[in-house]
Every structure is written in C-alpha cells, then in structure tokens.
Amino acid sequence: MDSSDFTESMLDQLPMERFWDFSLYKWDGFWYRSYHIQATMALRSQYIARDDDIILASPMKTGTTWLKALCFSILQKDENAARLDEQTLAKTEEDDPHHRRDPLVDNHPAVYVQTLEIQVFTAKPPPDVSAMKSPRLFHTHLPYTALPDSIKTSNCKLVYITRNPKDTLVSMWHFFNKLRTPEQGPYPFEQAFESFINGVSHFGPFFDHVLQYWNQSLKSPNKILFLKYEDLKKDPKGEVKKLASFLGKPFNNEKEVEDVIWRCSLERLKNLEVNKNGIDPWVGMPNSAFFRSGIVGDWKNIMSKEMSERLDQITMQKLKDSGLHLEI
C-alpha cells in the first residue's frame, strides 16, 4: 500500500487513542498521527537509499536535535576547519570572528537534517530527494520495521540515539505543553504517564522502538551505531569521536573535536538568535522548545516516587535478557 491508498476509511479501521490533544492511530504495532502514516507510505514507496546515505533515528525527546547538530557539524567539519585560523577557539559568539559562517547560526538543525516523515514526505509534492548530492543526511522517528526496505538492505548507515524513559517522558511533557494555551494549562502529567507506560505516544511504544534498533545494532554493528544520551553527556569527547569514526569522518586533532562539541552544545544553540526567536514551520513549535534543560535526572522534579518505581519495574521487565541497560 502506498500513500495514494491512504483514506479516512483506512483510519477508521485502526485503533485510536488520545495522547495530549492528538489522535494517535495504531498501525503495524506503533502509534502515529494520521499524517505520519500517509508520509510513511510515501517514504516507503518513493525513497531509494544510497550506500552513502546517513539516517539518524530516535524516539521523540531523546536527544534528536543534539544528534542532528553533531552529525551535520561532523560532516561539515573540513569546511569549518578551513575557516578557522590558528588562534585559540573562541568560546563566545562575540569573540569568534568566524561564527557567522557556521550554518547553525542561521538555522535550526532541523533545517539541515530533515525528518523524513515529518518534513520531507509531508510536502506536496515531496521534494526530489534523488537529486540531492551525496552524502544525504536525514532523520526519522520511525521504528526500524517501518523503514523502507532499501534503507535496511543497502550499505547506508544508521545512527540511533535513545535516553532513559523517565527523562524522555518528562521532556515530552514539557515539549507538548508548549502547544497548549495559558487557559488550557499543562496537560495532566498523570495522564501522560499512564499513556506512556501503556505504549501510547508518538511513534511508541517506547521500549519496542528502542529494542528494535538495539537488536539490529547487535546484528549489524557496522551499519547501526547505537548511542545513549547519558553517555554523550558523561563523555562527550569519547562519544563524538566514536560517532565521527562511524560516519567515516574521524577527527585529525583534539581542536576539531572541541570545536564540534562547542558548536553543538546546548548552551550555545539555545542562545543563538534563530533558536531564541524562530518558529519551526513544520510543527508550529517555537525553536526554543527544542532546547530546554538537557539535564540527566530532570524527571526527579516532577515524577512521584510511586511513578518512578512503576516505570523502573516496567523498564527492567521490557529490557530483561536484551543486554541493554537504560539508566533508571
């Protein structure tokens, strides 16, 4: 079935649940907005992967924007290095005479690394991605099983990032609350929690999503790099070096590593004018909503002890015997 087969009658046949103020439909075991399903059908029927494509993948609110910025900057680093002189790398925008040449100053990372089922294949008509020069860099929130066959069978590379489920949920709660009016107020966290643990969230169930990519990364470690947000926070140099090597763009020296880490840091990105004041045209969300605290353990500020213990038990049950550990 392709996107031309998508009809309202098809939606009527799918299970539906409310999540925040959205209707989500269960399709092939995962939950989607209706336009995500249509875009995914178009993606699967039209996208032909190249061997040098790079596809970033993630559940929602697990470090997607950070990963987009890092991968884009790594692929751009040779060009960026040519712009820098031998002086010590400046740590502020005002002191850096080269910062205006950094594309991240001009646009949100999502402009350079677009999400296939939210940005690319929702366009009418979709852009001709076959005309893009290599290497093409895209992102997806889709589960592994929903990807086009050509992505799975080609030699293209996938980079997956996930995060502990508690911080994922709390980050999601803050994010979607940005779309609510002051009169509506925040969505009840208790309802968000119950939906999440029952698997109902955008592109959820969360654990099924994570385990699909985890298991594939064990089978094909040269094709899929599996990253954890917490590891990037603890050891940014080590993780970014690993990422660059996987992408076939290893660093030449420590200065290059420091440059990419600085350019993509939360503090720098959230303070750029484009991210303080811009609006994401695809989802109508303020760019600032994509840069909040970035703290590991922020869930402690909102989640009750009982909720924490329930989610810990679910996490242990879901990941049992998988070999995967997510912080709890």
Side-chain angles (χ1 to χ4, degrees), residues 9-46:
S9 61
M10 174 191 162
L11 286 181
D12 292 340
Q13 299 172 36
L14 298 176
M16 190 272 283
E17 294 282 352
R18 295 292 290 175
F19 180 71
W20 255 262
D21 303 308
F22 312 108
S23 295
L24 297 187
Y25 298 88
K26 194 173 190 180
W27 181 54
D28 290 347
F30 287 83
W31 293 94
Y32 303 87
R33 301 272 293 279
S34 59
Y35 77 93
H36 295 150
I37 298 175
Q38 188 171 14
T40 302
M41 289 179 175
L43 166 68
R44 283 157 66 162
S45 66
Q46 299 172 33

Side-chain angles (χ1 to χ4, degrees), residues 192-262:
F193 179 85
E194 292 298 328
S195 293
F196 185 81
I197 64 172
N198 287 317
V200 181
S201 62
H202 289 66
F203 309 100
F206 172 80
F207 293 103
D208 293 358
H209 197 290
V210 172
L211 285 171
Q212 281 194 0
Y213 281 93
W214 170 250
N215 289 330
Q216 289 299 321
S217 74
L218 296 179
K219 294 177 186 175
S220 307
N222 293 325
K223 182 178 178 65
I224 303 178
L225 177 64
F226 192 98
L227 299 175
K228 300 178 192 175
Y229 182 88
E230 293 79 9
D231 292 343
L232 265 172
K233 293 286 287 187
K234 285 179 189 173
D235 181 20
K237 275 193 177 182
E239 292 297 294
V240 170
K241 284 181 180 179
K242 179 169 70 176
L243 175 58
S245 294
F246 180 79
L247 296 178
K249 291 281 188 177
F251 293 102
N252 296 311
N253 51 60
E254 290 297 308
K255 184 178 177 182
E256 284 189 355
V257 186
E258 292 168 3
D259 180 32
V260 166
I261 291 172
W262 168 73

Side-chain angles (χ1 to χ4, degrees), residues 81-278:
R83 296 169 181 153
L84 296 173
D85 56 25
E86 297 302 318
Q87 297 174 354
T88 302
L89 181 66
K91 296 300 179 184
T92 66
E93 298 302 300
E94 293 77 9
D95 294 339
D96 179 7
H98 309 279
H99 81 270
R100 292 197 181 278
R101 300 184 186 181
D102 178 6
L104 293 176
V105 173
D106 301 317
N107 289 296
H108 186 283
V111 171
Y112 303 115
V113 188
Q114 296 195 3
T115 299
L116 290 165
E117 70 283 356
I118 294 176
Q119 295 164 285
V120 182
F121 284 90
T122 55
K124 297 186 184 302
D128 181 9
V129 295
S130 67
M132 293 177 63
K133 68 177 185 178
S134 293
R136 299 182 300 185
L137 176 61
F138 291 113
H139 167 262
T140 184
H141 284 306
L142 294 177
Y144 183 82
T145 48
L147 296 176
D149 287 340
S150 66
I151 290 180
K152 301 172 190 174
T153 58
S154 70
N155 290 324
C156 75
K157 292 192 172 183
L158 291 97
V159 180
Y160 186 80
I161 189 167
T162 192
R163 188 180 192 182
N164 79 75
K166 295 178 186 176
D167 280 334
T168 298
L169 171 58
V170 168
S171 181
M172 193 182 298
W173 183 74
H174 283 290
F175 182 75
F176 283 125
N177 280 335
K178 294 285 187 181
L179 293 175
R180 290 172 68 86
T181 65
E183 292 73 29
Q184 288 176 310
Y187 187 80
F189 185 76
E190 294 76 14
Q191 291 183 35
F193 179 85
E194 292 298 328
S195 293
F196 185 81
I197 64 172
N198 287 317
V200 181
S201 62
H202 289 66
F203 309 100
F206 172 80
F207 293 103
D208 293 358
H209 197 290
V210 172
L211 285 171
Q212 281 194 0
Y213 281 93
W214 170 250
N215 289 330
Q216 289 299 321
S217 74
L218 296 179
K219 294 177 186 175
S220 307
N222 293 325
K223 182 178 178 65
I224 303 178
L225 177 64
F226 192 98
L227 299 175
K228 300 178 192 175
Y229 182 88
E230 293 79 9
D231 292 343
L232 265 172
K233 293 286 287 187
K234 285 179 189 173
D235 181 20
K237 275 193 177 182
E239 292 297 294
V240 170
K241 284 181 180 179
K242 179 169 70 176
L243 175 58
S245 294
F246 180 79
L247 296 178
K249 291 281 188 177
F251 293 102
N252 296 311
N253 51 60
E254 290 297 308
K255 184 178 177 182
E256 284 189 355
V257 186
E258 292 168 3
D259 180 32
V260 166
I261 291 172
W262 168 73
R263 287 179 185 277
C264 302
S265 66
L266 175 66
E267 283 307 310
R268 180 190 185 237
L269 292 178
K270 75 188 296 185
N271 286 303
L272 294 175
E273 281 302 314
V274 67
N275 296 325
K276 287 196 289 186
N277 301 310

